[in-house]
Amino acid sequence: MLADHTATSMDCEGKISIYRAVRTIKRRDNTLYNALRSIYEDSIFVGEISQLWPDLPLLANLRCGLWYSSKFYATCYFKSTDGHTNNWSFNTSRLNLHVAQLAGQKRGCIIVDSTRKGKRFPDSMSKTIPIWTCVLNRSIFNHISKMRDCGTIMQEEADSSKHAEYTRMLSHNWDCSLHLPLWVPETEKAAIEERIDGWSKQLEDSGADIASVASCLKKPLRPLWISQKTVIWLNEVPDHDSWDFTPIILVSTSSSSSIYQHRTTSEFSWSYIAGAGDDEESWARGLSPSLFWKHAFDLISSGPDLCNQKVADIVEKDRVYRAQRGQNAPQVTLKPLERLDNMADFSQVDSSSSLDLFNGNITLMSCNKDHTMFWLGSTNLALGTTQLAAHISDVDCILNCDQESFHTHIQDSKTYLQLPMLSSKLDRFSILSNLPAAVSFAKANLGKGNRLLVCCHNGEDISVCVCLAILTSLFSDAGTFDDGESYRNTRITKWEMRRRLVFICKFAVSARPSRGNLKQVFAFLTGQRSPSSCSHCRNANQEECC
């Protein structure tokens, strides 16, 4: 018996030793310098592809794609999980309608992403985006057909360019078919196609502004795939205008020959990491994509031995700069177009008027995103980042959801409130427990006609969730402040909450609230209480209140 126990212990020690050895090798290869050098090398490929179609805007698929160029025009958010086999979905929380509008205006676009998994394309590119283009194409066709059948294209518009464009789209074969890459099995393609009509109806019922997208697109959307293994004859590169579709060119930056490749230059040896930009919290040490590209040459030329210290110095200098001086970049505030100033009707989000988010000389991501604020229609409610809130002057009150406080021109306790909130990954009940105070603060100020800014660290998640709770709790279906009367007389469903979220995303195009945070908003709206607020149960780690 003792001998068996000893043998088992020795066997376990051997397994642990092998496991530790593998982990040690992986840690050695997955160094900060290797990651940054891999990103830099892959960015050269991105630059080469963007030069083939210089008129097409370059978009980063968050968050990984943002590392691979310093010249992104905008960002988008397509999740790979929406394209996982047997888990396909079309998520109305991530509509990315600004991508379709931009592609329509620029006659196409290029989206950049990468993958760590040793394959050529992430599922976000091989399935999520193709599903998105197909659903949009079908919804646009249904929208225009419905307008024609119902006679909603007014007679006075008969000679207008919009009417002519709609007529042309219907008279030609508007491609509504599903286009997937060749490596996706036919059985999987058939399973996805069965769900397209349901997703199209879901999009149309959500109140999304299909009319704005339809007014921008002259040709249906269609994805094209380019990786480092794609062969392109430089003397035969087609003009994107020559295609009978609006191209969404999907560029996967990763080299898929293997996960790790040892490479040598005249100065250093380093290991290539496919999809190195992924999961930046585990390796970046506080370095952001923008900081990296400001100091890319110094970091790459420093070599493996000095890279860590250089990154630490850069991050610390940037932290001190922000703490002492704040951001000195010009403030850019995106407000709704004049034609939409009076439109805040949640039940009629879909409008025939065009929401041109990229009209004019100032575009969304050509400015520093830390200084971007989004006004939500005519609700007097805006959301943004805490970096912006420290400098903004055209609001009357601020609700700060960040962990850090800041100096602002608003000092009155009635018009400034800080409620530090954590993401659901760190605290499952943080937002839920703070929403009652947040909504009460908003109610007191919006009821007086004050302009309220809700801010968080990145202006993309927690502030979006708080605004969602405020809009649902205090505004009617027509988009007017009613002090919560409609909310008290309405049974809130997930679908109702989703319609309000679609309204927010129409203006705050960078919004990407997490599922866990949205769950807390729904719990608040349906009357559930956080464990810490229950008089019978003080255990915040329990799943449900007693």
Side-chain angles (χ1 to χ4, degrees):
M1 195 73 177
L2 181 60
D4 291 342
H5 177 72
T6 304
T8 303
S9 299
M10 292 177 64
D11 186 49
C12 290
E13 287 178 4
K15 289 181 179 179
I16 293 173
S17 298
I18 293 172
Y19 173 78
R20 285 177 176 172
V22 171
R23 294 286 295 176
T24 300
I25 293 171
K26 188 174 181 179
R27 280 198 302 268
R28 182 194 64 194
D29 289 335
N30 199 22
T31 64
L32 179 58
Y33 182 80
N34 287 344
L36 296 179
R37 185 62 185 256
S38 301
I39 290 170
Y40 183 80
E41 295 294 324
D42 287 341
S43 72
I44 297 173
F45 170 69
V46 173
E48 292 172 347
I49 297 301
S50 65
Q51 287 303 309
L52 297 179
W53 295 280
D55 294 335
L56 297 185
L58 193 66
L59 279 70
N61 192 32
L62 296 173
R63 291 178 305 165
C64 182
L66 197 58
W67 285 92
Y68 290 93
S69 177
S70 60
K71 301 178 180 179
F72 284 117
Y73 187 93
T75 64
C76 55
Y77 190 44
F78 295 97
K79 290 193 70 172
S80 288
T81 52
D82 293 336
H84 287 175
T85 303
N86 296 323
N87 193 42
W88 317 286
S89 67
F90 180 85
N91 199 313
T92 53
S93 299
R94 298 181 285 272
L95 287 179
N96 291 289
L97 294 186
H98 67 288
V99 178
Q101 291 172 319
L102 179 60
Q105 293 170 13
K106 302 293 185 179
R107 300 186 299 279
C109 67
I110 302 172
I111 298 178
V112 175
D113 202 353
S114 67
T115 179
R116 275 182 179 271
K117 297 182 179 179
K119 53 188 179 182
R120 291 176 65 185
F121 291 88
D123 284 344
S124 61
M125 289 186 162
S126 59
K127 282 171 278 188
T128 302
I129 295 179
I131 288 172
W132 174 81
T133 57
C134 182
V135 170
L136 276 186
N137 286 336
R138 201 161 295 189
S139 296
I140 290 170
F141 185 81
N142 293 341
H143 169 76
I144 297 173
S145 299
K146 189 182 300 182
M147 289 180 65
R148 179 195 59 184
D149 296 341
C150 296
T152 53
I153 300 180
M154 304 301 292
Q155 185 63 38
E156 56 265 25
E157 290 185 352
D159 298 327
S160 70
S161 59
K162 180 185 290 188
H163 181 274
E165 201 61 52
Y166 284 174
T167 303
R168 187 193 65 78
M169 290 163 62
L170 291 174
S171 62
H172 290 72
N173 290 326
W174 183 264
D175 187 7
C176 295
S177 57
L178 175 65
H179 295 277
L180 293 172
L182 296 176
W183 57 84
V184 176
E186 287 296 323
T187 53
E188 187 172 359
K189 181 179 180 181
I192 294 174
E193 284 181 325
E194 291 177 356
R195 294 164 169 80
I196 295 295
D197 285 336
W199 288 330
S200 299
K201 186 177 186 307
Q202 179 181 336
L203 173 61
E204 294 160 15
D205 292 344
S206 71
D209 196 355
I210 304 299
S212 293
V213 181
S215 67
C216 294
L217 283 172
K218 295 180 175 62
K219 303 173 184 178
L221 299 167
R222 182 168 176 178
L224 300 174
W225 296 268
I226 295 179
S227 72
Q228 294 198 29
K229 286 190 174 182
T230 304
V231 177
I232 301 177
W233 301 102
L234 296 181
N235 60 338
E236 298 180 4
V237 176
D239 185 358
H240 62 277
D241 278 336
S242 65
W243 289 318
D244 59 356
F245 54 85
T246 301
I248 307 294
I249 301 176
L250 308 178
V251 178
S252 178
T253 66
S254 306
S255 173
S256 59
S257 57
S258 65
I259 297 179
Y260 295 105
Q261 304 171 28
H262 192 71
R263 300 185 181 183
T264 304
T265 66
S266 58
E267 298 176 301
F268 312 114
S269 293
W270 56 283
S271 296
Y272 173 79
I273 305 173
D278 192 22
D279 192 22
E280 62 189 55
E281 290 87 358
S282 65
W283 60 266
R285 303 191 179 199
L287 190 69
S288 65
S290 59
L291 273 181
F292 167 64
W293 285 107
K294 285 179 183 177
H295 305 276
F297 179 78
D298 289 339
L299 289 171
I300 297 303
S301 61
S302 66
D305 296 334
L306 300 178
C307 181
N308 286 13
Q309 186 58 49
K310 273 195 171 291
V311 168
D313 293 342
I314 290 170
V315 171
E316 178 61 17
K317 287 179 181 178
D318 182 68
R319 186 194 67 79
V320 172
Y321 177 84
R322 289 174 179 268
Q324 294 182 347
R325 303 175 181 82
Q327 294 286 342
N328 294 324
Q331 298 179 14
V332 178
T333 301
L334 285 185
K335 294 187 179 182
L337 298 182
E338 183 176 352
R339 72 183 74 175
L340 293 172
D341 281 346
N342 296 320
M343 192 201 74
D345 191 339
F346 307 128
S347 62
Q348 299 293 331
V349 176
D350 194 356
S351 170
S352 59
S353 61
S354 173
L355 177 62
D356 190 352
L357 293 174
F358 294 90
N359 191 25
N361 296 323
I362 299 178
T363 57
L364 174 63
M365 293 304 296
S366 62
C367 61
N368 189 328
K369 74 173 184 176
D370 287 343
H371 289 273
T372 304
M373 181 170 67
F374 302 98
W375 286 99
L376 305 182
S378 58
T379 61
N380 274 346
L381 187 62
L383 63 87
T385 66
T386 48
Q387 291 287 336
L388 164 77
H391 301 275
I392 199 68
S393 58
D394 59 345
V395 297
D396 303 310
C397 45
I398 295 176
L399 174 57
N400 179 13
C401 304
D402 202 354
Q403 296 296 304
E404 298 182 5
S405 59
F406 54 83
H407 295 288
T408 175
H409 71 286
I410 300 174
Q411 299 294 338
D412 188 350
S413 60
K414 294 182 179 180
T415 54
Y416 176 84
L417 176 65
Q418 181 179 11
L419 294 173
M421 301 186 198
L422 296 172
S423 176
S424 60
K425 290 184 178 181
L426 301 174
D427 186 336
R428 289 175 296 159
F429 306 108
S430 177
I431 295 176
L432 177 58
S433 61
N434 281 289
L435 280 179
V439 172
S440 296
F441 178 78
K443 180 179 179 179
N445 283 280
L446 292 173
K448 300 175 182 177
N450 290 340
R451 296 164 297 175
L452 171 63
L453 170 64
V454 180
C455 60
C456 66
H457 175 68
N458 57 16
E460 299 172 351
D461 189 354
I462 293 178
S463 59
V464 174
C465 291
V466 174
C467 285
L468 177 59
I470 293 171
L471 287 175
T472 309
S473 301
L474 303 177
F475 287 79
S476 68
D477 237 13
T480 57
F481 180 83
D482 67 355
D483 204 23
E485 181 178 351
S486 298
Y487 171 65
R488 288 189 291 271
N489 298 323
T490 303
R491 179 178 175 270
I492 300 298
T493 63
K494 289 184 178 180
W495 183 249
E496 175 63 26
M497 192 179 80
R498 188 171 294 173
R499 283 200 307 115
R500 307 282 178 126
L501 181 58
V502 169
F503 171 80
I504 292 175
C505 293
K506 179 175 182 176
F507 298 97
V509 294
S510 62
R512 47 192 187 105
S514 66
R515 185 168 176 264
N517 291 347
L518 288 174
K519 277 186 172 182
Q520 295 181 69
V521 176
F522 183 70
F524 166 75
L525 294 174
T526 53
Q528 300 178 37
R529 291 174 295 179
S530 66
S532 60
S533 65
C534 177
S535 59
H536 302 287
C537 175
R538 297 292 180 180
N539 184 3
N541 292 321
Q542 291 189 11
E543 282 292 339
E544 296 181 357
C545 180
C546 61

